[in-house]
Amino acid sequence: MFDKIFRHKTMSWISRYILRIFQHICFAAVVALVFYIYKGSTFTGTGGVVYNLQKDDIGKEYADSELFNSILFDNLRNAVELAAYQTLFETDGVYNGDKNIDVTAFINRNTVLQSDYITAVYPVSNLIKWSQNGFEYDDANFTTKESKDFLSATTVYTHLLKNNAEGGMNAFLNSQLENNAVRTNVKEVDKDGAGSHTVLIPRYKTINGENIEDIVSGWDEYNQLCANITETASTMAAGYERYDAYKDKYSFYKSNFRYYITRTINARTEVFTNVDSLKSGTNGLNLKDVFKSYGRYIYYCPYDIEYSTNTQISEDSLRQLLGNYQYAFPDQMKFYFAIDINKTANIDDFKVGKEAFNRYMPYYRQLYIISAIFAVMYVIVLVHLSIYEGRIEYADGKVGGIERIDVIPIEIVFVFSLAVLGILFGLFQFAINNYEVVKYNTMNMSLLAGGLSFVGDNAICYAIYSIIRRAKAGQLYKTSLFKFIIGLIHKLFGKMTLRQNLFVRTVLPFLTSTLLNLYLILRWGAVGIVIVIVLDVAVALYIINLNNDKFIILDALKRIAQGEIDVKVDVNKLHSSNVYFGEELNKISVSVEEAVNRSMRDEKLKADLITNVSHDIKTPLTSIINYVDLLKRENIDDPKVSEYIRILDNKSQRLRQLTDDLVEASKISSGNITLTITELNFAEFVNQILGEFYEKFESFRLVPILKCEKYDVFIQADARQLYRVIENLLNNVCKYALPDTRVYMDLFVAKTEIGVSKAVFSVKNISKNELNINADELTERFIRGDISRSTEGSGLGLSIAKSLTTAMGGEFEIILDGDLFKVNVGFETGKFSNGNPASEKMG
């Protein structure tokens, strides 16, 4: 069996069938395991909080786990909040709606309250009902008299006798002490209260039988007091809802969380607890031992600075929780918290967490390892089957390429696979939403997900393997619906070329498209709109292709304009009339290429002619030079004959220099020159050449001044050819510079616009002749600055220097400013020193 499955050339259809079933089983197993891991490691508590089991809890007991302490912290937060609400709504452990609330003190419960303030005191039940029934307002215009009649003649200020933070008590707690508040009526400065004002319609009176307007004498105070009342009432109503929910959630028989909190205010101790047996009294009991007996406990007493626990909850964490409710918890407090881990009979977060922990944590590693093994096997089988797709051997001995089902357009196959996946996902959601045996059972949910995944993987692999077979056979595009649609569109628009008139190419298609759109929309409604969108998208794609053709043609034209002579446009990629543009452009490209090649041949012939003539001249010239040299050795007394020999010597040497320059120029122009590029120290190189030219500068009465910005500047160049460039420049200076002047030479490093460093050697001198010529012409062959050719030189020096510089990848620039002659020779550099040498003067 294994030989048949893993044979090298083909695979039997039975082997493929078996492997595919195994592949789908692997996929289903991976999905089921991953789903089980996800659902098993995550659960939702009774309050809607989502908890995640941690891999760090492996090997730990539930009560020592991170999960347990995370649940504990959340329940601790809720219990602290519940205790804070109990201080507001309860007396002796029972809800008391008659407890008085000072609204201004309540609003400022977390801040400092001024000594004398304006407030109103209501029973807590009135505030809650006022918020639940809604606040009513009335907008009215008041005259000065009406304003005075509506508001009180005096403002009532409340003063707390104990308003300091004694024992941690704040102003809000002090406002609840009996006989701790003194009320004083103060006559304020009369203000003109005329105008439009918003009045809060009072639903309830204060404990002193007053309305809001009976307490204040000004509109600013009235508006502020109204705001304090509405905010306090809204907060009380919202807090009461949470209080009621927490009170039920953390009752003794619904929660395994236990708390016992004592608060001492003005020598009176209040108790807040959910342990029924402790509500009647704790005489003879050691509360710390009682709470320790539950299993996990926390004890905290701020005024004794005592903290004790066997959980992971730190004192700082608990202090931060309590800090959010400073108005309810002064320093004279004791906090006992515990979790009854011995029973956990009540169904709360601790119970649900323990079940999830025991169900999942012992098998954490095994589940991940098994799922990874199945995933690896799935990938191996998928790759193996993908390799052998298209090479399946059937019972009759035939080896299949594409199969019968592969004639179905690939888009339809893809849509079918997605539809199957959508149906399976819908079935999964339906089962979860309608069957509790699936919704609340992780195992059943995982098995259902695995079974549906088995079917879904069949649908996906059906499309994947079909794509692979078609791709191997080169039929992927040919069997696609896209090709069919493109073919129809191509046939429809293919005849719209330049050979047809403008009406056929533009107006007729537009009218046809418009009428067709109207017909489909009016005839088929929503379906027609969908068809119209598809057709319009197809037309838009065709127009985009036409415009893209223009960009292709424009790009080719730009490349030809930039000097590329072998540019060709693939007319097979063009559409409609653009095909003819492409063909004509290709003809132009061929013509340009032929013309350039012809020009290059002519240039080469000219260069070869110069080289050949120069070589032919060299042979007799050498003889002349030799014979002149022999004559110079004779003792000739006749001065005229000596002068003739001297002239012959100068002219023959000049002719030899000219022929050498011609040969060199022809080699450079024809590309027949070999460059050996190495790393050179440009600064050291320039200094060396200047040393060799010292005597020559002196003979021409010139003073060279060199300034190097850097001690070391490294460039990539050919040392021999670079020497020739610098030599030609300095020879040119000696020939044409004004005697008794200075020649300035600079070597510096500059940054280009694109951020590349460039080493530049600059030579500046004053010309002894008028520079009546353009700078560009000086680098042409046989051009000299004095035009008259009365001086020695071939007129090729600067041309050769520029050509050699360009061949080595550098830049050569001549700048003329009046009689100032300047040459810049630049090369890219990446290495240079950071020194600051002083200018150097030679001579």
Side-chain angles (χ1 to χ4, degrees), residues 566-584:
D566 57 346
V567 177
K568 297 291 187 297
V569 176
D570 187 357
V571 294
N572 295 323
K573 296 182 179 180
L574 303 181
H575 307 81
S576 188
S577 59
N578 292 326
V579 174
Y580 300 100
F581 291 135
E583 291 174 348
E584 295 302 319

Side-chain angles (χ1 to χ4, degrees), residues 100-222:
N100 297 331
I101 300 297
D102 183 325
V103 296
T104 302
F106 182 80
I107 293 300
N108 294 275
R109 60 191 180 279
N110 293 320
T111 59
V112 178
L113 185 66
Q114 60 186 17
S115 299
D116 296 292
Y117 59 95
I118 303 171
T119 189
V121 181
Y122 292 92
V124 65
S125 60
N126 289 356
L127 290 173
I128 294 174
K129 288 184 289 185
W130 198 348
S131 176
Q132 291 173 341
N133 293 326
F135 303 100
E136 297 181 10
Y137 297 90
D138 184 24
D139 293 327
N141 291 317
F142 289 83
T143 63
T144 302
K145 183 178 183 307
E146 290 172 341
S147 176
K148 288 184 177 181
D149 293 340
F150 178 76
L151 298 174
S152 173
T154 59
T155 299
V156 179
Y157 283 92
T158 298
H159 177 78
L160 298 178
L161 299 178
K162 295 180 179 180
N163 193 26
N164 296 323
E166 297 180 1
M169 290 180 60
N170 52 40
F172 172 66
L173 290 177
N174 286 317
S175 71
Q176 295 185 304
L177 298 178
E178 295 182 2
N179 302 319
N180 191 43
V182 177
R183 305 175 80 230
T184 305
N185 290 65
V186 178
K187 176 66 176 177
E188 303 284 359
V189 178
D190 290 338
K191 297 179 182 178
D192 186 3
S196 178
H197 298 286
T198 300
V199 176
L200 175 64
I201 298 176
R203 185 178 294 274
Y204 301 99
K205 292 182 179 296
T206 68
I207 60 173
N208 298 310
E210 302 166 324
N211 288 327
I212 305 171
E213 58 269 21
D214 299 330
I215 301 174
V216 296
S217 61
W219 284 108
D220 292 339
E221 293 84 359
Y222 177 86

Side-chain angles (χ1 to χ4, degrees), residues 741-754:
T741 60
R742 298 180 182 87
V743 179
Y744 292 94
M745 288 161 284
D746 296 331
L747 179 59
F748 57 91
V749 177
K751 284 279 189 180
T752 63
E753 294 180 356
I754 60 175

Side-chain angles (χ1 to χ4, degrees), residues 56 140 585 835:
D56 294 337
L585 179 61

Side-chain angles (χ1 to χ4, degrees), residues 322-358:
L322 298 175
N324 297 325
Y325 306 97
Q326 291 182 354
Y327 66 91
F329 301 137
D331 289 344
Q332 300 295 320
M333 301 285 295
K334 286 185 179 181
F335 300 91
Y336 300 86
F337 302 102
I339 302 89
D340 192 349
I341 62 174
N342 299 320
K343 296 180 180 180
T344 60
N346 299 321
I347 300 178
D348 62 355
D349 292 344
F350 296 99
K351 177 76 172 180
V352 176
K354 184 176 183 179
E355 292 176 352
F357 186 89
N358 293 334

